[in-house]
């Protein structure tokens, strides 16, 4: 039976080796440091969740575990009912492509590709026959239809992040993971990128998990998780979240999900 949860993590643990270059450890003795400590959390489809906490709390590592970019040491992790900890690396890569979009603080665009070509990368890897058409549509959704032939070095920081957002959402992911997506932007530009991100996530009915240090950005989510020392120490609903008034109607979400093109 299909799970009602987009992400269902139970007692998730993850540690990293202290060994540095050349095989020597940071403190002169081998060992590991616990980064994620027994995290249990469930996220629902279409939910918009902020993940907050001080630097080093384990937020980015938890995102990487959810996306299958890192493998947990213990615990269980199901994404829409699929136990991704049992998947091979190749299977995780395919599963991530079909279900996740990821946006980082750094834009990670390829300098030798145009905005259109960067936005089409995930579609190309998925073998989509209409990759360029769908990439153009994705750029139009983030307000960059007029910049599709420009290279990253010809774009502002905000425009580069919007290209990265278009790339992440071109395949209409069920889950959008955003790791400090406005961290490299000034306040005004960051707000515009955030507007685009929330609007697009709502439009495609994606579960949005947003890592941020920005309280104002976190308040725009319907739920807020707080991490400390590798654990989730607070989980609260935000019934008066700022984005609630401008969210799309639920019925429109369902129609959008049904109309999603597939590769």
């Amino acid at each position: 039976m299909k799970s009602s949860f987009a992400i269902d993590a139970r007692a998730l643990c993850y540690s990293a080796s202290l060994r540095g270059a050349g095989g020597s450890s940071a403190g002169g003795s081998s060992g590991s440091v616990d980064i994620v400590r027994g995290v249990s959390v469930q996220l629902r489809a279409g939910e918009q969740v902020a993940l907050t906490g001080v630097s080093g709390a384990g937020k980015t590592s938890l995102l990487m575990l959810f996306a299958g970019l890192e493998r947990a040491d213990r615990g269980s992790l199901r994404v829409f009912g699929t136990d991704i900890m049992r998947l091979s690396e190749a299977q995780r890569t395919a599963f991530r492509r079909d279900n996740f979009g990821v946006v980082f603080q750094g834009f990670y665009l390829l300098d030798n590709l145009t905005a259109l070509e960067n936005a089409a990368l995930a579609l190309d890897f998925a073998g989509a026959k209409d990759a360029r058409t769908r990439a153009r549509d994705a750029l139009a959704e983030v307000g960059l239809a007029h910049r599709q032939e420009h290279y990253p070095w010809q774009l502002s920081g905000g425009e580069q992040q919007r290209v990265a957002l278009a790339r992440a959402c071109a395949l209409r992911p069920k889950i959008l993971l955003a790791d400090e997506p406005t961290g490299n932007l000034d306040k005004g530009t960051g707000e515009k990128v955030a507007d685009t991100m929330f609007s697009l996530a709502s439009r495609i009915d994606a579960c949005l998990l947003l890592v941020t240090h920005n309280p104002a950005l976190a308040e725009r989510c319907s739920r807020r998780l707080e991490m400390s020392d590798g654990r989730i120490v607070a989980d609260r609903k935000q019934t008066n979240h700022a984005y609630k008034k401008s969210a799309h109607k639920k019925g429109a979400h369902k129609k959008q999900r049904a109309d999603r093109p597939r590769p």
Side-chain angles (χ1 to χ4, degrees):
M1 184 174 72
K2 188 172 182 178
S3 172
S4 61
F5 295 119
I7 294 176
D8 186 358
R10 307 292 175 106
L12 211 59
C13 296
Y14 172 68
S15 60
S17 173
L18 290 175
R19 287 189 176 277
S24 62
S25 65
S29 59
S30 62
S32 63
V33 57
D34 294 329
I35 299 175
V36 175
R37 304 167 182 249
V39 166
S40 295
V41 67
Q42 291 77 44
L43 307 181
R44 295 188 180 277
E47 196 172 20
Q48 295 181 344
V49 183
L51 181 58
T52 64
V54 299
S55 296
K59 304 182 299 297
T60 296
S61 294
L62 188 60
L63 251 66
M64 297 302 98
L65 292 175
F66 286 167
L69 290 166
E70 297 288 351
R71 188 188 289 270
D73 301 317
R74 298 183 303 281
S76 67
L77 176 58
R78 293 183 178 274
V79 177
F80 289 105
T82 296
D83 185 351
I84 68 171
M85 290 178 64
R86 292 182 177 272
L87 301 180
S88 67
E89 184 174 350
Q91 289 172 327
R92 289 202 314 275
T93 298
F95 187 83
R96 181 168 56 252
R97 178 199 67 203
D98 293 340
N99 292 277
F100 287 91
V102 185
V103 181
F104 299 97
Q105 181 173 340
F107 315 130
Y108 297 112
L109 302 180
L110 299 183
D111 289 337
N112 61 327
L113 299 183
T114 64
L116 177 63
E117 291 167 336
N118 270 287
L121 279 174
L123 294 160
D124 288 335
F125 287 132
K129 295 179 180 179
D130 56 349
R132 291 300 181 273
T133 298
R134 290 166 64 179
R136 287 189 184 93
D137 291 343
L139 286 174
E141 285 184 308
V142 299
L144 291 178
H146 63 299
R147 300 288 259 165
Q148 59 184 330
E149 297 303 327
H150 290 77
Y151 290 89
W153 52 271
Q154 296 174 309
L155 303 174
S156 68
E159 288 172 332
Q160 290 185 62
Q161 190 61 297
R162 282 189 283 160
V163 173
L165 186 59
R167 178 183 59 196
C169 294
L171 276 171
R172 293 302 194 251
K174 298 174 184 176
I175 301 171
L176 179 60
L177 304 178
D179 189 5
E180 291 285 357
T182 64
N184 283 341
L185 307 174
D186 62 74
K187 182 179 179 181
T189 302
E191 288 176 350
K192 292 178 182 178
V193 168
D195 288 344
T196 302
M197 177 184 66
F198 279 103
S199 177
L200 187 54
S202 183
R203 193 179 307 142
I204 66 176
D205 200 21
C207 173
L208 171 65
L209 181 58
L210 167 66
V211 168
T212 183
H213 288 103
N214 185 334
L217 199 56
E219 287 173 4
R220 299 183 67 167
C221 295
S222 58
R223 182 179 171 195
R224 184 170 180 171
L225 306 174
E226 183 178 349
M227 284 194 77
S228 178
D229 195 26
R231 298 180 175 89
I232 292 180
V233 296
D235 181 352
R236 52 186 176 273
K237 297 286 186 181
Q238 300 187 145
T239 56
N240 295 319
H241 58 99
Y243 194 71
K244 184 177 181 181
K245 294 180 180 179
S246 57
H248 289 240
K249 292 182 179 179
K250 188 175 181 180
H253 287 171
K254 290 183 177 179
K255 183 178 185 300
Q256 178 68 39
R257 178 71 72 182
D259 291 344
R260 279 183 176 166
R262 303 305 302 172

